[in-house]
Amino acid sequence: MEETAKQDVLILAIESSCDETAAAVVKNGREVLSNIISSQIEIHAAYGGVVPEIASRKHIERINQVIEEALNTAQVTLDEITAVAVTYGPGLVGALLVGVSAAKALSFAAGKPLVGVHHIEGHISANFIENKELEPPFACLVVSGGHTHLVSVKDYGVYEILGRTRDDAAGEAFDKVARALGLGYPGGPKIDRLSKEGNPDAVQFPRAKVGDSQYDFSFSGLKSAVLNYLNSCEMKGIEVCRADVAASFQHAVVDVLVEHALAAAAEYGFDKLAIAGGVASNGALRAAFEKACAQNNIAFYHPSPILCTDNAAMIGAAGYYEYIRGTRSGYDLNAIPNLKLGER
Ligand code: KG4
Ligand code: ZN
């Protein structure tokens, strides 16, 4: 291991909220010494989505190995770790429980503090790892398979939710439309790839507005519009260009995400905007944000794709800032499937 000074804070982080069993060692919140991810995607792909019972069982089979590998790769012992951080919500309850139980056992056995971390706080904090200069306040759009949140990051660990989805998450819409196009699971990366061959203006899909809240999102109407379009083409015997449908759908999602985030940045006066979560690795989304932010003199931040989808390094980054704020969890820490951001 490279030099670690006595005052360095080393976080052993664990993430198991969905279908990735992950562990990482992160130094001082921003330096990743190891980031081990064991993905179950291939197993769940056969069922067209994540099967909670299978996810829990696979986490149990893999968690100890993944943690051991994270420590070995970082070349640190459990003794040298400062604290153990773990995602305790939101997510699948059985999946979360595996990580929470492992973290409690390690914390107790090694006599190290335990820090429960919110999964979305992890996604947001992924931005700190590669952008060493990024500090709050900034706005962050979190777009994943389970969440679509526009968040004001007021300080480390201090958040205000400006907007959220009223129905489907952005990633969920990608997955459902991909299924309708026969692309398989997970749909996001497949739509991203196929869209490169399509015309984003071929089909005009709706850009939903949510009446009473300017920054809320709604994607179920868009998903239905795509399904209706595919059905009506089939009924009329018109051959569908899947690349055009994928690109037009993606264009509609990206338009709404960028428009809401930029409007919030203008109203709240943010000069920094970050994106996070699985959908944040989408090529068209990144390009659109880069352009819109440059036009509006806003600095734009995004993590590398590996830090966008679920991983434990982001939990280590968030865990560090929670640790130095004094957050400590007891051995009664439980998995909370619907944990709200900012609640403990
Ligand atoms: O953050 P994540 O790994 O898990 C959750 O916390 O939900 O996000 C997974 C989601 C899936 O819906 C997946 O289809 C989507 O992120 N995704 C993408 C891309 N890569 C992953 N969506 C659009 N474009 C991508 N390149
Ligand atoms: Zn996630």
Side-chain angles (χ1 to χ4, degrees):
M1 189 181 70
E2 60 186 275
E3 280 301 288
T4 46
K6 265 222 151 25
Q7 66 275 17
D8 282 335
V9 173
L10 290 178
I11 302 285
L12 170 63
I14 299 171
E15 154 67 42
S16 70
S17 64
C18 191
D19 59 347
E20 256 85 37
T21 319
V25 177
V26 177
K27 182 168 138 183
N28 300 329
R30 303 222 177 202
E31 198 181 322
V32 178
L33 303 188
S34 64
N35 187 22
I36 309 298
I37 306 169
S38 169
S39 177
Q40 307 173 2
I41 278 191
E42 279 172 21
I43 300 164
H44 298 286
Y47 303 92
V50 177
V51 183
E53 177 64 23
I54 296 176
S56 315
R57 284 168 188 264
K58 289 292 156 195
H59 284 312
I60 291 173
E61 282 172 24
R62 293 175 181 182
I63 192 114
N64 286 343
Q65 268 170 283
V66 166
I67 293 169
E68 202 175 316
E69 205 179 326
L71 288 168
N72 289 344
T73 305
Q75 294 182 16
V76 296
T77 62
L78 200 50
D79 252 7
E80 292 166 306
I81 290 292
T82 315
V84 181
V86 64
T87 306
Y88 72 110
L92 303 169
V93 68
L96 285 164
L97 267 177
V98 177
V100 168
S101 307
K104 282 200 243 183
L106 285 172
S107 152
F108 183 71
K112 306 288 178 176
L114 179 67
V115 181
V117 171
H118 192 288
H119 184 75
I120 301 284
E121 182 175 12
H123 274 303
I124 294 169
S125 304
N127 280 289
F128 296 136
I129 294 169
E130 291 158 314
N131 302 299
K132 309 288 181 211
E133 77 287 6
L134 176 63
E135 287 188 31
F138 60 92
C140 187
L141 175 74
V142 184
V143 269
S144 72
H147 314 276
T148 306
H149 282 25
L150 187 53
V151 182
S152 160
V153 182
K154 297 181 159 183
D155 200 346
Y156 294 106
V158 183
Y159 309 98
E160 184 190 346
I161 296 173
L162 306 176
R164 53 158 62 84
T165 183
R166 294 290 181 90
D167 38 59
D168 292 350
E172 205 178 339
F174 269 95
D175 293 337
K176 287 178 178 169
V177 167
R179 187 188 297 187
L181 288 171
L183 298 175
Y185 176 86
K190 292 181 172 145
I191 289 195
D192 193 355
R193 222 169 298 131
L194 184 61
S195 294
K196 295 194 171 78
E197 298 156 25
N199 172 8
D201 299 312
V203 191
Q204 275 307 306
F205 289 126
R207 274 75 171 151
K209 289 250 182 298
V210 179
D212 51 338
S213 174
Q214 195 188 351
Y215 304 122
D216 277 359
F217 303 93
S218 167
F219 293 109
S220 72
L222 170 60
K223 173 199 68 193
S224 302
V226 176
L227 299 183
N228 289 341
Y229 175 81
L230 294 175
N231 286 337
S232 84
C233 286
E234 196 185 336
M235 275 159 62
K236 291 176 196 157
I238 300 169
E239 201 186 322
V240 169
C241 173
R242 296 196 308 170
D244 280 353
V245 176
S248 300
F249 157 76
Q250 183 173 272
H251 190 34
V253 176
V254 168
D255 263 4
V256 171
L257 293 174
V258 172
E259 192 196 306
H260 283 37
L262 268 289
E267 185 181 329
Y268 291 86
F270 287 113
D271 58 0
K272 291 178 264 180
L273 201 150
I275 57 173
V279 183
S281 53
N282 184 274
L285 184 72
R286 286 172 183 247
F289 266 112
E290 236 143 54
K291 192 170 160 205
C293 287
Q295 283 168 349
N296 290 280
N297 278 326
I298 295 172
F300 173 54
Y301 300 90
H302 59 78
S304 298
I306 191 69
L307 295 173
C308 283
T309 44
D310 290 349
N311 65 86
M314 67 185 197
I315 303 302
Y320 166 80
Y321 288 106
E322 288 294 345
Y323 174 80
I324 59 169
R325 288 172 80 217
T327 302
R328 303 288 184 270
S329 304
Y331 291 126
D332 58 351
L333 183 70
N334 205 352
I336 304 183
N338 56 355
L339 184 67
K340 303 278 177 290
L341 189 63
E343 271 177 15
R344 296 211 69 86

